[in-house]
Amino acid sequence: MDILIAQIQTDLRSSDALRQSGALLQALQQSAAGRDVSAVAKATCEEIIASPSSAVCKKLAFDLLRSLRLTPDLWDTALSGVRSDLSFPDPDVAAAALSVLSAVPSHRLPRLLSDAHKDVSAALDSPADSLRLAAVDSLASVLARDDLVLLCHANPSLLDRVSAWWARIASHALDRSDAVAKAAFEAISRLFQEFETKRMSRLAGDKLVDGENSLAIRSQWVVAAVDLVWGKRNALMARSLILPVESFRVTVFPLVYAAKAVASGAVEVLRKISKPGGGDSSAATADSSAEKLVGVSDVVSHLLPFLSSLDPPLIFEVGINMLSLADVPGGKPEWASASIIAILTLWDRQEFSSARETIVRAVVTNLHLLDLSMQVSLFKRLLLMVRNLRAESDRMHALACICRTALCVDLFAKESVRRGQKPLPGTDVASLFEELRIKDDLNSTTNKSLFREELVASLVESCFQLSLPLPEQKNSGTESRVIGALAYGTGYGALNWTEPALEVVEVCRPCVLWDCDGRTYAIDCYLKLLVRLCHIYDTRGGVKRIKDGASQDQILNETRLRNLHFQLIKDLREVHTPRICARIIWAIGEHFDLEGLDPLLADDPEDPLNIIISNIHKVLFNTEASASSSNRLQDVQAVLISAQRLGSRNARAGQLLSKELEDFRASTLADSVTKHQSRYILQTIKYVTGHPERRWAGVGEATGDYPFSHHKLTVQFSEASAAQDRKLEGLVHKAIQELWRPNPSELSHLLMKGISSTHHKVPPKVYTLTGSSDPCYVEAYHLADSTDGRITLHLKILNLTELELNRVDIRVGLSGALYYMDGFSQTVRQLRNLVSQDPVLSSVTVGVSHFERCALWVQVLYYPFYGSGGAIDYEGDYAEEDSQVMRQKRSLKPELGEPVILRCQPYKIPLTDLLLPHKLSPVEYFRLWPSLPAILEYTGTYTYEGSGFKATAAQQYDASPFLSGLKSLSSKPFHQVCSHFIRTVAGFQLCYAAKTWYGGFVGMMIFGASEVSRNVDLGDETTTMMCKFVVRASDASITREIGSDIQSWLDDITDGGVEYMPEDEVKIAAAERLRVSMEKIALLKAAKPKPQPQKTEEEEEEKKKKEEEVDENGNPKGPSTLSTLTAEEAEHRALQAAVLQEWHMLCKEKAIKV
């Protein structure tokens, strides 16, 4: 290998173009094979790039440059050669130099573009087609990236140049050359796609995290491009028709995006974003709504013939884009139906088999654009398509869309019938899911397919989303149509969602008979919805009558629920899993109408009550079930509670259940707890039987809650079924949440709410890294991007000396989990010509590999004597100078001299910046909390105002004064799950949940108890709060990292408000408090006044009491003031008393409000 590298270097240093091109090809071949060829970087930069060579050698050298790691000095050499080549007369050489722009590091781009902007502008207007093509291609790959957008934010002159270049690129869509026109269309598409998705920026090597004004800068470019495309749409459509047919596909997206932006009004919002104070925004576009609609229709007419093309990628591109046009104001369902039919023809094409997920996602996302009859006809076919999808995330998203569409179709059709329109057959939920294979899946008890569980869970969760208030939609768009149809169907009524939910529970009823190998998530979802509906319609009281004020719809729905109860009770005989049997008994027994049973059928085995009691017997005396099909402790508890409620509500049920409970209590299957519980239930049933008017002593009001879940303590019981249930729950919840209530991006928020409601970003906190007497001032802040796992450090360097520094190197080293994308352990930023008191900006982007404490270490190196050895740059002309002379002149390197090194303070990345808030309910949190294996406990203290003006003001505004040290937690990436405050200043409990960037779960509980301190300052009483922090995590590495430096973790989450207190000090402080308390008690005793002499009767009584306080041995008993309680027990009792006092206060407040 060394011989080969030496040979390549020798060939590169020769003046023979053929040998040089051969050597470059060998180097590229070795680099592609994964071998290190960095040794040839110096020769390539000096002999090829920075010297006169042929266009072929230049192009090969630039291709090799992308795979090499260059030092800063070599980059200087290479970029000086690029600047020279950009002005070279040969267009092929200039085109090769332009192609390297995308490989230039972000921090060197502004200097290169500012030095060579005239040459770049000249290349865009060059008469040579190859040079124009290279300029459009290269600029399009660079100008749309995030890093250049951020550089434009800091450099106004660069922003003006880039804006002018985008205008020139867009105008080249009408270029006479087909290749240049195609490249211009691709460039505009890339600009629009980057504005929406930033796909290319994520692929860029040195991506910077977005700044505050990135959206405004991008909006300015997008608005200019949209105005140009919309204004010249007829010419662009005509130009696209004379392109080669294989190039037509790239012209579709720019035309459609511009038409949709103008027709939907999004371009006006973007115009306000790009120029918040601009006055000429209204004059830019004055199109009427009719003109907009005509323009959109022209674009559709232009694209429609290509849906019958023979090229599958062209069909897909045109179909997807026409679907988005069908969504604008004035769009027609025919446009969507034609597109969807064309896209679905690709399902069976062999070359499109790998894109089936994309096809289904496109169709189900836009299904609502069709009319009702088209949606119904496509529904069953789409169900089968989704059933055959391989990717879980795509399948879940498609299922969520299909379930929402089913509810939407059902509601819309019923409301249309109510308003007098002709009913459309097949629009109810039961008919939509009547497809034969789907029906077989639902009715089969032995089928092991997960798809049916996903379908039931998605349907039920969609019903729960429909029960919540619908999100507001002010703009016209995809979501607004769906929300509008749902609102039309529900009539914004509180209970209209229950009608499709009733059909869902009827369709999914066979799920209670499934054998799912221990998985229960889908069945739990079903029973939860059933219990909610029973509670809403109060099925315990039977079917209401018209004279009771019930409507016809209510009577019909309650009758359907009662029939469903009877069917589920009959299905109990076929449920072979005790766990599911107990849950069905609990769900039905809570809401079943016992008074409506026929007393003449009391001895009939088919009587519903007899079936329920026989299944209670089966669960109580079951001993053969496996651990995956039964959880005996929970099952027995469930049926015992159900037995108490059933026996208390009905006399015959109480009589039959008393016998069952007596048998169970006398059997060996009952442990001591269940025996006592059975005795208590028997006494309750006996009391209620004797006092029928007091039956509610044994049964309370139905709550509509379903307490069962698939969650288990995974640390103690590792079950595959529970893990599958948790995975399925996560997938379903994520898909439903993203569809029904997605987190809006900044752009979508502005498009939906308007420019007036923009939410201001919190500016990043700036840290100073140098001292007050240092010759250089360095301050830094960072921006984090959790999506890509990257952090960008922004530095501002200010030369405080009176000298102009020709060269300054900024070295940035890393520690912890940080890494550079190019694999180096440190990076160097070279700054030139630092003028005194003139700030210079620099930035560096790093990746974060895992959750760990990390820091960036910055060094500033001055070179006061730099440039004394020779010329730095040579500005000669290749045509007039010999190549050998040029090499000799370029070998005169400037002397660096001795540097002055300034070591800055390390810039530490807070651990909280590697966390994301994780939203979940308190029930889920407390179910998950015991299963987290890693635990960390520590104590912190802070002081707060216990009295005075601040405390009074805080109490008036409902802010607890003793939470002042934890107020910073609200701005940290934690989700506050729940909290319990004791307003008697006795304590509090806070619960927080978060996830790391890499999926690890972090739960944190904070317990507080205040203690009055002895420090009194200026007459105000100050108090000390002692907080107990308990952190539990899914991985031990998380708690280990937090526990390695607890004080810095506390500084991160509370901004320095809480001080860590070691356990030894906690024990010493507790002992000190106990000693002080005992001293105070002794002082109180000593200060007790002596009894007055006239109170003789009281003295005699005291003597009698003292005589009585003698035990049987004659020894005096201990003084009554002492207690046998420990300090912990006394504190616990005091806390209980405070909680009870708080409870009574809350009850009084509620009574007053009522």
Side-chain angles (χ1 to χ4, degrees):
M1 188 67 190
D2 293 340
I3 299 174
L4 180 61
I5 294 294
Q7 182 63 41
I8 291 173
Q9 289 176 333
T10 304
D11 290 343
L12 288 176
R13 290 192 175 94
S14 68
S15 300
D16 187 354
L18 188 60
R19 290 178 61 189
Q20 288 177 338
S21 60
L24 289 170
L25 284 172
Q26 276 189 319
L28 280 169
Q29 185 179 5
Q30 297 297 322
S31 177
R35 299 184 179 93
D36 184 16
V37 291
S38 55
V40 303
K42 190 172 187 297
T44 303
C45 292
E46 293 179 352
E47 305 297 332
I48 306 297
I49 298 176
S51 301
S53 298
S54 65
V56 175
C57 290
K58 292 279 187 182
K59 182 64 176 173
L60 291 174
F62 289 137
D63 288 340
L64 180 61
L65 194 68
R66 291 183 176 89
S67 62
L68 295 177
R69 297 174 179 175
L70 300 185
T71 63
D73 292 330
L74 287 180
W75 267 118
D76 286 340
T77 304
L79 293 183
S80 64
V82 169
R83 285 196 295 270
S84 301
D85 290 346
L86 286 174
S87 58
F88 197 73
D90 186 355
D92 292 335
V93 173
L98 280 168
S99 67
V100 82
L101 284 179
S102 60
V104 176
S106 299
H107 63 280
R108 294 183 178 271
L109 264 178
R111 179 72 180 271
L112 176 62
L113 293 178
S114 63
D115 291 347
H117 71 277
K118 293 182 180 179
D119 298 324
V120 173
S121 301
L124 285 170
D125 299 327
S126 171
D129 292 348
S130 61
L131 187 53
R132 291 202 312 278
L133 176 62
V136 171
D137 270 337
S138 302
L139 289 176
S141 64
V142 172
L143 299 186
R145 284 190 344 210
D146 280 343
D147 49 2
L148 193 117
V149 174
L150 197 60
L151 294 172
C152 288
H153 167 50
N155 192 338
S157 61
L158 179 63
L159 174 60
D160 295 338
R161 292 189 182 111
V162 173
S163 302
W165 287 338
W166 271 121
R168 294 292 302 120
I169 290 173
S171 66
H172 275 306
L174 296 172
D175 194 88
R176 63 178 182 273
S177 169
D178 288 345
V180 176
K182 177 187 175 184
F185 274 113
E186 286 180 334
I188 301 172
S189 299
R190 194 172 291 170
L191 173 64
F192 292 158
Q193 287 168 350
E194 281 293 288
F195 188 59
E196 298 284 345
T197 63
K198 297 187 182 177
R199 186 177 305 162
M200 189 177 64
S201 293
R202 290 195 173 96
L203 298 175
D206 195 11
K207 175 187 174 295
L208 301 178
V209 180
D210 267 351
E212 292 80 2
N213 292 337
S214 298
L215 183 63
I217 293 172
R218 283 185 183 278
S219 301
Q220 180 180 342
W221 299 339
V222 169
V223 167
V226 166
D227 288 342
L228 188 142
V229 174
W230 179 252
K232 298 183 178 181
R233 59 185 180 277
N234 294 325
L236 290 173
M237 286 189 285
R239 182 68 180 90
S240 65
L241 290 174
I242 60 175
L243 282 174
V245 66
E246 62 272 8
S247 302
F248 178 82
R249 188 156 55 97
V250 302
T251 68
V252 176
F253 181 71
L255 288 167
V256 170
Y257 187 91
K260 184 173 182 179
V262 172
S264 64
V267 69
E268 298 304 321
V269 179
L270 298 181
R271 204 183 306 277
K272 292 178 182 178
I273 296 173
S274 61
K275 296 178 181 179
D280 59 340
S281 59
S282 59
T285 56
D287 295 341
S288 63
S289 58
E291 188 175 351
K292 292 177 183 178
L293 183 56
V294 170
V296 173
S297 301
D298 290 343
V299 175
V300 172
S301 303
H302 166 68
L303 297 177
L304 198 57
F306 293 93
L307 287 178
S308 56
S309 168
L310 297 178
D311 184 19
L314 179 58
I315 295 174
F316 185 77
E317 185 74 21
V318 173
I320 291 294
N321 285 284
M322 277 187 60
L323 278 175
S324 63
L325 278 184
D327 195 30
V328 301
K332 300 178 181 178
E334 292 81 8
W335 301 349
S337 59
S339 303
I340 286 179
I341 291 171
I343 291 173
L344 288 178
T345 60
L346 303 175
W347 178 266
D348 297 322
R349 298 287 288 263
Q350 184 65 32
E351 62 269 31
F352 248 72
S353 61
S354 59
R356 287 185 169 182
E357 285 83 2
T358 312
I359 292 173
V360 173
R361 182 177 280 259
V363 174
V364 298
T365 306
N366 297 282
L367 194 59
H368 60 277
L369 298 175
L370 305 174
D371 54 12
L372 275 183
S373 58
M374 189 75 177
Q375 291 186 41
V376 172
S377 61
L378 276 178
F379 198 84
K380 296 174 183 177
R381 184 183 177 189
L382 279 175
L383 265 178
L384 292 180
M385 288 182 173
V386 173
R387 186 173 179 265
N388 295 325
L389 290 183
R390 300 179 301 274
E392 288 178 337
S393 58
D394 289 315
R395 192 168 66 241
M396 288 300 173
H397 177 269
L399 267 178
C401 289
I402 282 179
C403 293
R404 185 172 72 168
T405 301
L407 299 178
C408 190
V409 167
D410 182 82
L411 284 167
F412 193 87
K414 287 179 179 174
E415 184 63 25
S416 300
V417 171
R418 287 193 198 102
R419 299 190 181 192
Q421 298 183 18
K422 184 179 178 181
L424 184 66
T427 54
D428 56 309
V429 173
S431 302
L432 290 173
F433 291 93
E434 261 187 348
E435 207 283 328
L436 187 60
R437 274 172 282 188
I438 301 297
K439 212 167 184 180
D440 289 343
D441 273 351
L442 291 175
N443 289 303
S444 173
T445 57
T446 57
N447 192 344
K448 303 298 181 184
S449 170
L450 276 174
F451 173 74
R452 59 181 187 172
E453 298 178 43
E454 297 167 356
L455 177 61
V456 169
S458 299
L459 266 173
V460 172
E461 293 292 348
S462 299
C463 290
F464 281 125
Q465 288 294 327
L466 190 59
S467 69
L468 300 174
L470 296 173
E472 292 184 13
Q473 295 286 335
K474 292 186 178 179
N475 70 318
S476 61
T478 303
E479 287 303 303
S480 65
R481 288 188 177 229
V482 180
I483 301 303
L486 292 173
Y488 172 83
T490 58
Y492 291 100
L495 294 180
N496 288 3
W497 69 274
T498 57
E499 295 186 7
L502 265 172
E503 297 202 20
V504 167
V505 293
E506 289 174 347
V507 168
C508 301
R509 182 182 59 83
C511 73
V512 298
L513 304 177
W514 290 349
D515 181 13
C516 299
D517 294 333
R519 298 186 299 273
T520 64
Y521 173 61
I523 303 174
D524 284 334
C525 286
Y526 174 79
L527 293 176
K528 189 190 302 182
L529 179 60
L530 176 66
V531 168
R532 179 76 62 86
L533 291 174
C534 292
H535 176 64
I536 289 173
Y537 284 104
D538 189 21
T539 55
R540 179 191 283 189
V543 179
K544 314 299 183 298
R545 294 172 297 181
I546 293 180
K547 67 178 184 180
D548 297 330
S551 64
Q552 292 288 350
D553 289 340
Q554 183 181 353
I555 294 173
L556 177 62
N557 293 337
E558 291 182 359
T559 306
R560 289 167 64 184
L561 271 176
R562 185 185 64 178
N563 296 335
L564 185 64
H565 279 169
F566 289 148
Q567 291 172 348
L568 284 171
I569 290 171
K570 290 179 181 178
D571 289 340
L572 274 173
R573 296 172 174 175
E574 302 177 35
V575 177
H576 302 294
T577 309
R579 178 179 297 169
I580 303 302
C581 187
R583 297 181 181 192
I584 296 174
I585 290 172
W586 193 95
I588 295 177
E590 177 82 4
H591 300 278
F592 186 59
D593 178 22
L594 292 173
E595 304 302 327
L597 295 177
D598 189 351
L600 299 177
L601 300 177
D603 297 330
D604 188 358
E606 298 297 324
D607 181 66
L609 183 58
N610 292 335
I611 296 176
I612 292 176
I613 292 175
S614 65
N615 280 277
I616 288 178
H617 175 87
K618 187 190 300 184
V619 174
L620 289 176
F621 292 93
N622 171 63
T623 56
E624 300 176 357
S626 62
S628 63
S629 63
S630 171
N631 181 1
R632 179 163 176 77
L633 183 64
Q634 189 183 65
D635 298 343
V636 170
Q637 287 294 317
V639 295
L640 286 178
I641 294 173
S642 300
Q644 175 182 337
R645 293 173 175 175
L646 287 170
S648 301
R649 285 171 51 202
N650 184 271
R652 181 164 70 92
Q655 199 173 14
L656 295 173
L657 285 169
S658 297
K659 182 178 180 303
E660 292 291 341
L661 292 175
E662 288 286 2
D663 294 343
F664 175 67
R665 186 182 168 200
S667 69
T668 58
L669 294 174
D671 55 19
S672 58
V673 175
T674 51
K675 284 182 179 178
H676 284 296
Q677 192 171 1
S678 301
R679 182 174 61 83
Y680 169 75
I681 294 172
L682 285 168
Q683 289 177 348
T684 303
I685 293 175
K686 183 179 179 182
Y687 174 79
V688 169
T689 305
H691 304 80
E693 71 282 357
R694 300 180 184 177
R695 68 171 62 180
W696 301 114
V699 57
E701 185 180 356
T703 59
D705 291 333
Y706 180 78
F708 303 99
S709 170
H710 62 274
H711 287 280
K712 299 180 182 66
L713 305 183
T714 54
V715 180
Q716 301 172 14
F717 306 103
S718 177
E719 289 188 15
S721 59
Q724 286 180 322
D725 270 336
R726 283 194 300 275
K727 180 182 178 182
L728 178 59
E729 181 187 28
L731 290 170
V732 170
H733 279 190
K734 182 179 179 183
I736 294 290
Q737 194 70 24
E738 287 179 354
L739 182 66
W740 285 81
R741 286 169 173 79
N743 289 325
S745 62
E746 184 182 2
L747 175 61
S748 60
H749 180 83
L750 291 172
L751 291 177
M752 184 172 60
K753 300 292 185 181
I755 186 66
S756 59
S757 64
T758 177
H759 52 285
H760 297 285
K761 290 184 177 179
V762 178
K765 191 174 181 180
V766 179
Y767 296 91
T768 303
L769 304 183
T770 52
S772 58
S773 60
D774 289 332
C776 176
Y777 173 78
V778 179
E779 69 176 20
Y781 69 92
H782 74 279
L783 298 172
D785 186 356
S786 59
T787 306
D788 297 327
R790 296 182 180 178
I791 290 175
T792 298
L793 179 70
H794 293 273
L795 298 167
K796 182 164 76 172
I797 301 98
L798 189 64
N799 177 14
L800 298 181
T801 65
E802 297 180 357
L803 303 175
E804 179 180 350
L805 302 172
N806 294 326
R807 172 170 171 175
V808 174
D809 288 353
I810 307 295
R811 291 183 182 175
V812 183
L814 307 177
S815 63
L818 303 179
Y819 66 92
Y820 287 113
M821 271 64 76
D822 56 8
F824 283 151
S825 59
Q826 69 173 9
T827 191
V828 178
R829 296 284 186 263
Q830 286 187 356
L831 307 177
R832 301 291 177 87
N833 304 324
L834 261 70
V835 183
S836 177
Q837 304 297 328
D838 187 14
V840 177
L841 305 178
S842 183
S843 59
V844 59
T845 300
V846 295
V848 189
S849 60
H850 55 276
F851 184 80
E852 185 183 350
R853 209 176 299 277
C854 44
L856 295 98
W857 303 75
V858 180
Q859 286 185 352
V860 181
L861 281 74
Y862 293 89
Y863 292 93
F865 308 106
Y866 175 77
S868 60
I872 300 175
D873 289 324
Y874 177 69
E875 302 295 341
D877 191 356
Y878 289 159
E880 299 178 359
E881 294 287 348
D882 183 66
S883 59
Q884 189 66 27
V885 175
M886 286 192 58
R887 289 194 192 95
Q888 291 175 358
K889 288 186 176 182
R890 289 185 181 277
S891 64
L892 294 174
K893 297 294 180 184
E895 294 181 2
L896 294 178
E898 286 294 326
V900 178
I901 302 176
L902 173 63
R903 293 180 176 86
C904 302
Q905 295 179 1
Y907 187 91
K908 297 180 179 179
I909 305 296
L911 276 178
T912 50
D913 281 18
L914 306 182
L915 294 175
L916 296 171
H918 180 61
K919 293 184 179 179
L920 74 172
S921 67
V923 176
E924 294 171 323
Y925 182 81
F926 287 113
R927 282 175 178 162
L928 186 61
W929 177 264
S931 65
L932 297 171
I935 186 168
L936 173 67
E937 298 182 8
Y938 53 91
T939 304
T941 61
Y942 62 88
T943 59
Y944 68 94
E945 294 290 337
S947 63
F949 175 74
K950 290 183 179 180
T952 306
Q955 289 174 352
Q956 285 178 350
Y957 290 100
D958 223 7
S960 178
F962 54 89
L963 289 177
S964 58
L966 303 175
K967 60 185 178 182
S968 301
L969 278 167
S970 59
S971 62
K972 301 300 177 183
F974 288 103
H975 171 66
Q976 183 167 342
V977 181
C978 58
S979 60
H980 179 70
F981 301 99
I982 302 170
R983 290 188 295 183
T984 53
V985 200
F988 59 85
Q989 174 184 343
L990 304 174
C991 301
Y992 294 93
K995 275 198 171 183
T996 67
W997 286 5
Y998 312 96
F1001 182 83
V1002 182
M1004 182 170 66
M1005 285 192 187
I1006 307 175
F1007 305 91
S1010 63
E1011 292 292 339
V1012 179
S1013 72
R1014 292 173 295 166
N1015 300 323
V1016 179
D1017 185 17
L1018 298 177
D1020 290 336
E1021 180 190 5
T1022 58
T1023 51
T1024 302
M1025 176 63 69
M1026 294 184 62
C1027 298
K1028 186 74 173 180
F1029 291 79
V1030 182
V1031 179
R1032 299 193 77 154
S1034 58
D1035 191 358
S1037 62
I1038 298 174
T1039 54
R1040 185 167 58 249
E1041 194 60 38
I1042 294 173
S1044 62
D1045 189 353
I1046 294 177
Q1047 185 58 57
S1048 65
W1049 164 256
L1050 285 173
D1051 292 341
D1052 291 345
I1053 63 176
T1054 63
D1055 292 338
V1058 178
E1059 183 181 353
Y1060 170 62
M1061 190 178 223
E1063 290 301 317
D1064 296 340
E1065 295 184 13
V1066 173
K1067 293 178 181 178
I1068 293 173
E1072 179 66 18
R1073 289 198 303 272
L1074 182 61
R1075 186 185 64 80
V1076 170
S1077 301
M1078 296 302 291
E1079 287 179 356
K1080 289 181 179 179
I1081 291 173
L1083 288 172
L1084 289 173
K1085 287 181 181 178
K1088 187 177 181 180
K1090 294 181 180 180
Q1092 298 296 328
Q1094 62 268 21
K1095 296 181 180 180
T1096 55
E1097 295 180 0
E1098 293 180 2
E1099 289 179 2
E1100 291 177 0
E1101 289 179 2
E1102 287 181 5
K1103 287 181 181 179
K1104 290 180 181 179
K1105 289 181 181 178
K1106 288 181 181 179
E1107 289 174 0
E1108 291 175 358
E1109 292 174 356
V1110 177
D1111 59 9
E1112 54 200 9
N1113 298 327
N1115 297 324
K1117 294 181 179 179
S1120 59
T1121 55
L1122 295 181
S1123 174
T1124 58
L1125 297 176
T1126 63
E1128 289 79 5
E1129 290 174 345
E1131 185 178 2
H1132 185 62
R1133 287 195 178 186
L1135 193 60
Q1136 282 182 335
V1139 172
L1140 289 173
Q1141 178 67 22
E1142 173 72 5
W1143 174 253
H1144 287 305
M1145 291 297 295
L1146 289 174
C1147 290
K1148 287 180 182 179
E1149 290 175 6
K1150 288 181 180 178
I1152 291 171
K1153 289 177 182 177
V1154 172

